[in-house]
């Protein structure tokens, strides 16, 4: 079931990104990086071929370059998702052709479209995959020029946006630059919401009751270690656990009812690997 769920989620994520490309980016000639941006640029030069078909061709070329310069470093999920995205764009062009922008306001279309795409990308990343594309260019740049992957991705996407300045004019180009930055910010934010776990540290005289509640009622693990107070060197037990939002609320209510003098700190976690969370490999 996990494999089936992962497969369905990858397709859902790819579909969300495709919706952005077809309904928001393509009609406004917004080349905001990636294979979709490259394909929008190519489509403006060779309008006889659809953007979806260009995406398929560009992906094939990029994967060939990747194999030539990097070897077989691409997971099957990434290969599948990149071509699924191209296929969905191609299918949308056939089923729901769009000949003009949905609105005269380019900015609102860009923001809405990038938000939809960011949700899709976050879903794909959460399945330990990516949509390929400029990631491969970034990996080649990283290998031969020692530039960090994140910067290399940004450089390659900005290069695509720069080409839109030359083809579509400075106004569209500036929107494309903004779209590249917005996309990165939205993906980071959405991933944080998907992984909205909190590290909770509790110091209480009722630590044994709290430990039992975490383990038995919440079904979560915890780590207990001993600490000393700075004022009187009093021995204290410190409980550390990681919880989701709902469990955190239940835990705070329980601790408040058991020990009003308890001390609790809550920390946001960007990513958690191992055990019952994401796999390390």
């Amino acid at each position: 079931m996990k494999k089936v769920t992962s497969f369905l989620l990858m397709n859902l994520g790819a579909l969300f990104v495709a919706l952005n490309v077809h309904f928001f980016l393509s009609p406004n000639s917004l080349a905001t990086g990636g294979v979709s941006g490259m394909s929008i640029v190519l489509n403006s030069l060779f309008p006889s071929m659809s953007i979806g078909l260009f995406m398929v061709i560009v992906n094939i070329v990029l994967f060939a370059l990747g194999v030539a310069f990097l070897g077989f470093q691409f997971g099957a999920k990434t290969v599948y998702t990149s071509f699924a995205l191209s296929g969905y764009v191609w299918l949308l062009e056939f089923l729901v052709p769009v000949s003009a922008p949905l609105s005269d306001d380019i900015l609102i279309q860009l923001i809405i479209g990038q938000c939809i795409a960011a949700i899709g990308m976050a879903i794909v990343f959460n399945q330990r995959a990516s949509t390929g594309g400029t990631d491969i260019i970034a990996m080649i740049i990283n290998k031969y020029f020692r530039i960090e992957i994140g910067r290399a991705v940004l450089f390659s996407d900005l290069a695509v946006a720069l080409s839109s300045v030359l083809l579509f004019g400075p106004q569209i180009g500036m929107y494309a630059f903004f779209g590249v930055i917005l996309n990165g910010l939205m993906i980071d934010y959405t991933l944080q919401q998907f992984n909205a776990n909190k590290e909770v540290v509790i110091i209480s005289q009722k630590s044994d009751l709290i430990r039992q509640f975490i383990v038995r009622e919440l079904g979560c693990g915890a780590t207990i270690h001993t600490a000393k107070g700075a004022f009187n060197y009093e021995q204290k037990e410190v409980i550390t656990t990681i919880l989701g939002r709902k469990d955190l609320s239940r835990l705070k209510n329980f601790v408040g009812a058991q020990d009003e003098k308890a001390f609790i700190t809550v920390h946001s976690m960007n990513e958690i690997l191992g055990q019952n969370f994401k796999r390390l490999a």
Side-chain angles (χ1 to χ4, degrees):
M1 281 301 297
K2 285 185 177 180
K3 290 183 178 180
V4 172
T5 302
S6 179
F7 175 77
L8 293 175
L9 286 173
M10 284 192 299
N11 279 276
L12 179 64
L15 178 60
F16 276 22
V17 179
L19 290 172
N20 177 41
V21 174
H22 180 65
F23 289 106
F24 299 101
L25 298 184
S26 175
N28 292 286
S29 300
L30 293 169
T32 55
V35 168
S36 60
M38 296 170 67
S39 300
I40 288 170
V41 170
L42 289 171
N43 175 256
S44 70
L45 297 173
F46 306 100
S48 59
M49 293 177 63
S50 70
I51 291 174
L53 181 56
F54 269 123
M55 289 179 70
V56 173
I57 295 170
V58 170
N59 269 319
I60 291 172
V61 172
L62 287 177
F63 277 112
L65 288 173
V67 171
F69 288 98
L70 303 169
F72 292 93
Q73 296 184 14
F74 318 109
K77 288 183 177 180
T78 294
V79 175
Y80 172 78
T81 308
S82 62
F83 284 105
L85 170 58
S86 307
Y88 282 131
V89 173
W90 203 353
L91 185 63
L92 286 170
E93 288 176 329
F94 176 74
L95 296 177
V96 193
V98 176
S99 57
L102 301 179
S103 165
D104 293 331
D105 192 334
I106 296 178
L107 181 59
I108 193 63
Q109 292 178 81
L110 177 64
I111 293 173
I112 292 174
Q114 293 298 78
C115 288
I116 294 171
I119 294 171
M121 292 290 287
I123 292 172
V124 170
F125 288 153
N126 231 32
Q127 304 309 309
R128 303 179 69 83
S130 78
T131 54
T134 49
D135 293 355
I136 297 172
I137 298 175
M139 291 168 68
I140 295 172
I141 293 173
N142 171 259
K143 179 177 180 179
Y144 291 97
F145 298 98
R146 303 300 179 187
I147 296 175
E148 293 177 4
I149 288 286
R151 290 184 181 179
V153 170
L154 180 61
F155 289 159
S156 58
D157 285 344
L158 288 177
V160 174
L162 178 61
S163 66
S164 71
V165 174
L166 303 175
L167 287 170
F168 307 120
Q171 182 179 10
I172 296 296
M174 285 188 288
Y175 278 123
F177 273 103
F178 176 67
V180 171
I181 297 168
L182 178 64
N183 191 50
L185 294 173
M186 286 302 304
I187 289 172
D188 287 343
Y189 175 78
T190 309
L191 281 171
Q192 288 178 10
Q193 303 315 301
F194 278 136
N195 303 297
N197 292 301
K198 306 288 184 180
E199 181 188 45
V200 187
V201 179
I202 307 163
I203 301 174
S204 170
Q205 298 295 332
K206 304 288 183 68
S207 61
D208 193 56
L209 285 175
I210 296 169
R211 177 194 62 79
Q212 291 183 44
F213 179 79
I214 292 172
V215 174
R216 295 176 182 175
E217 297 297 324
L218 301 182
C220 298
T223 300
I224 299 175
H225 57 275
T226 304
K228 287 184 179 180
F231 288 102
N232 54 16
Y233 282 88
E234 180 185 359
Q235 291 273 357
K236 300 179 179 181
E237 281 193 343
V238 180
I239 302 174
T240 303
T241 186
I242 295 174
L243 303 173
R245 288 177 177 174
K246 291 182 180 179
D247 287 339
L248 173 60
S249 179
R250 292 177 63 193
L251 177 63
K252 287 193 293 185
N253 291 334
F254 178 82
V255 173
Q258 298 298 321
D259 184 4
E260 292 183 353
K261 295 182 179 180
F263 181 77
I264 302 175
T265 58
V266 181
H267 311 275
S268 295
M269 311 300 290
N270 290 329
E271 188 172 25
I272 305 170
L273 304 174
Q275 293 193 1
N276 295 325
F277 298 94
K278 280 186 180 180
R279 290 182 301 156
L280 287 165

